[in-house]
Amino acid sequence: MLDTPEAVVEALRENNERPHGLQRTVTAEELVEAAEPLDEPGVLVTALLELMRSYEFTGEHRKSPVVFARVLKLWDTAPDSFTQWEAHQVFWRFKWVTTSLLQVPDVPLAAIRGWIDQMRTRYASADHGMQPVAAMGYHVAHHTGEGLADAYDLWATRPRTELSDCEACEIRHFAEHRVAAGDDAGALETWQPVLGGSMGCTEEPQMSQARALLPLLRTGRADEARSHHLTGYRQVRGNTGMQDEVGLHLEFCGLSRNEGRGLEILAENRPLFEATGAPLARLSFLTGAEVLLARLTEDGHADTAVAGPPGRNWTAGELLSHVRSEADRLTTAFDTRNATTAVGDRRQARLAQRPLLPEPLPLGLRTSHTRLSAAQATPDGTPVTAASAGSEVPQDFVALVREARRLTAAGHPGEHRLWSRVEERLTDGSAAHDDVLGPEDLLQAEIADQRAYRLATTDRNAESSSELQRAAELYEGLGMPWHALSARSRSLAWLSTTDEAERDAIRAGLDETLAEAARLMTQATTEGEDAEGRAERELEYLTVLYSATFGAYQDAVRELPEAAGSAADRFEERAATLRAEAERLSVPHHVANALQFAADLAARRGDTARAEDGLLATLAAVDASGRPWRGSRPRALLAQLMLGKDEPARAVELLHQALADAARYDDTDFAVAPTYALLGHAASHLGDVTGAVRHLWEAAARFDQDGDHDEATDVRIQLADVLARSGRQADAVAVLESVLVGESAAAGDARALAQARLSLARGLRDLGEYLPAAEEFLRLADIVAAWEDDGEVLTLVAAEAATALAMADRWDAAATAYGRAVTAHADAPNPSLIIHMMCEFARLTMLAREADGLDPALDYLTQADAVCAAVPKDAEDFAPWYGRGTVHYRRARVLAEAERFEQALAEAEAAIAAHEEGAEHGEVPRAEAVRIAALIEGNGLARFQEAIARLTAAAARCRQAGLQEAAHILDALRQDYLKR
């Protein structure tokens, strides 16, 4: 019952511990109602200030000024009811009221300026400085666009006071001013303390991160923009008090070509469509959504289903109309109130922006939406498809076919794009066969040949074989035996089957094509054959040899890990024949093919020296062939070998060149995603964290585009690990969250996803988000409990869940998880972890319970002693000295906090002795135990001389062991005691 002042105060204290949101706000309203009849002005003041804070942080700016009016009335009539902190808040929250009034277009501008005048008067009466008043004048000028320069000078040139906004928030306003002036670089320099993490508050850095996204993109700092999007959005999602910032993240997604990510953000923030307490922030949110939705509709996705206001289904086009109408209404209301066009001008400037990047900025996140690509157009208005994008595509059909044939003859990878366009135009009726191109059957055979290639690249080998057989029949009908034989040989080589009888039939068929090729070569006459015809015949002949070699290579791979056998012998014979004939006929690219097959097989067998030599010879043959586009694949394979030899610099060089050549020569079939993943690993080995992160981000995005979502998940897990190890824990958490939501959390390798969830839980804990961390640990514990073969994992997860729950001050749940961990330890022991958990519970109990925490804390440590004593002497992965030393160390600190200094000192000395048993492995924890012992001696027992002697000896010992940092810490404490 809330019928006494004490009950209301206790309820206020409990409510203050809740996160800002609907429950806290409703409770705050109820507590004001409960405080009103108590005739205790002090309790009502506290309740009103709590309610005003709830409104401020949930975006209820319409209501906040009304509450403050009541506070101000109490200030005028019962000032003694205010504590010192509450008296300070009265003056502090004048600023909140000003910004709240600006948020509501129904409030006349004259009333807002009158409020600032009242603020000025009250500040002057209380002898407060005028800088905060000038700041409010600047905010009005910025909002209306009138008198901005003078207002800025009046504010920026005044000294800060105790009532000025926190420095982080002021930096945001200064930076925004420079952005508005077109000085992105200057703004980012101003923002550095906040964006760099050296300055912050409850609202920062997340507010600045949202505002810095586009300046970062415009100045080419895309990596930083990506990072601030990942970390900043996590802090504002679903927060009705951060509508403005969510809108800026939506805008960023639209302008960085991440429309799919933007749609997910819309879905996560549907309640914001109904949040009307802060109209100006609402307008910003709607404008950000409008930027995103306009991009989608312009790119032909108006019918895409999107998340909008609850209660109905929406398409992008429908939601755009709705958002635009509501935003227009609000803009008109503000500009009418202000008698300027400033609000509308800013909105139009945002809507006029175009994407800032030619390709989507890889965010490293798994989205439920596939990439929404633009339906661009060529100069004649023909839509650009995947088949026709990239290199220039002739618009004249005859020229298109001739160019495709030229590229085919040269073996150029760009041929596939052109042949796809040829087929498209014949299919859609925009072109027809022309007799100047030769027989129509020839064109159909060429198209079938190309279609077979595309089918093979997607592992549709049976369909590919059928297309090649059709091509062979057409070639034979045209009197082109070599082309027919080449097509038949490939139709056999590209078949993939594990049935041995079928493999025997394929081998027999390839042998027949080889015999036919030998017969045709013997019968070949050069009479009337020009150089071009001879070269064409020799290339088709070598293609038959290549097919036979490829088939033998596949058989040899199936025989692995055996290094010898009939398949291996067959492969060696076929590869040797291909190489010898290619050398005889001076066709270096087929020499390269033979060498690359052999090198690849050697690498698979573990013969890295032979593989490396073979790949280097392959690249030399590629150089001699005049076909540089053939070097990408052997370079990527060689890079893998270089990584295995711990030569990451060489690997990075090879991979960069492979990717560059694939892009330069339009090699759309090159394995770009795996190559970026490999490049990320190489950069990580090289210590180039920035490069590693960038390449892994790109790899994940490419795998998603290719539909390889399991591979994308694996790369994201590796990406998160690199981010966490480089200190970017918030980025890592954002990536892992995207891996573990929706469909991706239910698919993929269960143990890999479990490891990702463990990393996510630990990351959340490291960020101080203890309750979400505990929830992830508990979710993981339920998953691993079903793993009959890995009980130690359950012990680990249950222990970490218990500790996280205790950190989150959820002690009942923590006790349950603690018991689960102890039970799991009995079945699958992990003594080091359980001892750590028990010591952490002792530490956290002292923090939570203070005066009455000693006995339960000591009980946890007694349990830890028992765990340590029960470990068998021959147990692996457990150092008894470290376990004992850890418990003694924690007991020393617990006793010292309870001011039982003699007992604490004895425990610290026991910790020192235990760690000495660890020899060089125990030096670091021993030094820390010495530090605690000296603190107890000096600060607790005033035995400064003994402490100084202890520290002197320990610092010398650390220096002798090469522990300079530990020695420095001990020396610093010694110097402090000497001064005393």
Side-chain angles (χ1 to χ4, degrees), residues 78-371:
D80 293 340
S81 301
F82 290 72
T83 65
Q84 184 177 358
W85 179 83
E86 290 169 343
H88 177 81
Q89 287 298 302
V90 171
F91 290 95
W92 183 269
R93 297 190 184 188
F94 266 95
K95 300 179 297 181
W96 289 11
V97 174
T98 304
T99 53
S100 291
L101 294 174
L102 276 177
Q103 283 277 344
V104 183
D106 304 341
V107 178
L109 207 57
I112 300 173
R113 290 181 169 135
W115 177 258
I116 296 175
D117 289 340
Q118 183 182 165
M119 177 182 175
R120 181 181 296 107
T121 300
R122 287 186 179 262
Y123 269 49
S125 298
D127 202 25
H128 289 306
M130 290 292 114
Q131 195 259 13
V133 179
M136 296 304 102
Y138 168 75
H139 291 324
V140 173
H142 177 267
H143 175 68
T144 63
E146 289 189 326
L148 183 59
D150 290 342
Y152 179 80
D153 288 342
L154 188 62
W155 164 49
T157 56
R158 287 179 178 265
R160 286 177 49 77
T161 76
E162 65 175 350
L163 290 170
S164 295
D165 282 342
C166 79
E167 286 192 67
C169 289
E170 280 210 340
I171 283 173
R172 178 179 76 249
H173 296 312
F174 284 132
E176 283 188 284
H177 185 79
R178 301 191 77 167
V179 171
D183 183 10
D184 286 337
L188 293 171
E189 183 179 352
T190 301
W191 253 318
Q192 180 52 37
V194 175
L195 298 180
S198 62
M199 193 175 290
C201 66
T202 56
E203 297 178 331
E204 290 293 352
Q206 57 267 32
M207 292 182 75
S208 287
Q209 285 176 314
R211 287 158 175 75
L213 293 173
L214 296 186
L216 285 165
L217 279 188
R218 288 193 293 260
T219 54
R221 295 161 63 174
D223 289 342
E224 293 171 74
R226 170 173 46 224
S227 177
H228 289 306
H229 168 65
L230 294 179
T231 59
Y233 173 67
R234 289 189 66 252
Q235 301 303 314
V236 304
R237 64 185 172 195
N239 187 339
T240 55
M242 291 281 179
Q243 285 180 282
D244 197 345
E245 288 69 27
V246 173
L248 291 169
H249 282 280
L250 290 170
E251 179 179 47
F252 166 78
C253 290
L255 298 179
S256 65
R257 297 186 185 274
N258 279 284
E259 294 89 348
R261 166 70 167 166
L263 293 184
E264 288 198 340
I265 291 176
L266 271 183
E268 290 176 338
N269 293 275
R270 291 188 80 176
L272 268 58
F273 283 105
E274 298 181 309
T276 59
L280 188 60
R282 175 176 171 78
L283 173 60
S284 182
F285 166 71
L286 294 173
T287 302
E290 188 175 352
V291 171
L292 172 71
L293 295 165
R295 292 297 316 140
L296 286 168
T297 55
E298 287 173 21
D299 289 347
H301 301 291
D303 294 331
T304 298
V306 300
R312 57 160 288 187
N313 296 324
W314 297 88
T315 66
E318 292 168 343
L319 184 58
L320 175 61
S321 297
H322 173 80
V323 164
R324 183 170 287 159
S325 174
E326 176 65 8
D328 283 344
R329 184 187 66 78
L330 286 171
T331 300
T332 300
F334 278 110
D335 282 347
T336 300
R337 188 268 303 271
N338 300 335
T340 69
T341 61
V343 173
D345 291 346
R346 280 193 292 271
R347 175 166 174 255
Q348 289 306 314
R350 290 177 68 181
L351 296 175
Q353 296 173 105
R354 310 305 298 167
L356 297 170
L357 301 172
E359 292 291 332
L361 174 67
L363 298 178
L365 303 177
R366 169 77 171 98
T367 66
S368 58
H369 296 271
T370 57
R371 177 181 169 187

Side-chain angles (χ1 to χ4, degrees), residues 564-613:
S566 59
D569 292 341
R570 183 183 179 89
F571 168 74
E572 294 291 346
E573 177 188 346
R574 293 287 185 261
T577 301
L578 173 60
R579 179 178 177 182
E581 287 296 274
E583 288 174 343
R584 179 180 69 83
L585 297 172
S586 300
V587 183
H589 72 268
H590 272 303
V591 175
N593 287 333
L595 290 167
Q596 185 175 339
F597 278 134
D600 180 79
L601 200 57
R604 291 171 183 267
R605 289 170 174 166
D607 188 350
T608 55
R610 182 180 178 189
E612 182 179 350
D613 290 342

Side-chain angles (χ1 to χ4, degrees), residues 383-425:
V384 176
T385 65
S388 61
S391 57
E392 185 177 347
V393 179
Q395 296 306 305
D396 176 74
F397 185 69
V398 171
L400 174 64
V401 174
R402 285 174 173 167
E403 179 63 9
R405 285 173 174 171
R406 185 187 70 80
L407 293 182
T408 299
H412 194 289
E415 63 168 312
H416 305 302
R417 191 185 299 277
L418 297 189
W419 280 115
S420 293
R421 184 63 182 139
V422 168
E423 185 175 6
E424 285 175 6
R425 293 195 61 182

Side-chain angles (χ1 to χ4, degrees), residues 736-737 740-741 753-754 756-762 764 769-783 797 801 804:
L736 289 169
E737 284 179 337
L740 294 167
V741 296
L753 291 172
R757 196 172 297 281
L758 178 61
S759 298
L760 172 59
R762 288 172 170 171
L764 289 166
E769 299 181 32
Y770 300 125
L771 188 56
E775 291 169 352
E776 291 297 338
F777 279 127
L778 291 171
R779 192 173 289 117
L780 181 58
D782 290 339
I783 293 170
V797 175

Side-chain angles (χ1 to χ4, degrees), residues 482 514-526 537 541:
W482 276 112
L514 283 176
E516 177 67 8
R519 185 183 67 79
L520 288 175
M521 284 297 285
T522 301
Q523 294 178 352
T525 175
T526 58
R537 170 172 55 83
Y541 165 62

Side-chain angles (χ1 to χ4, degrees), residues 811 843-857 860:
W811 284 96
R843 178 182 71 84
L844 294 166
T845 297
M846 291 298 290
L847 286 174
R849 299 178 61 173
E850 297 178 354
D852 64 342
L854 178 61
D855 288 341
Y860 286 124

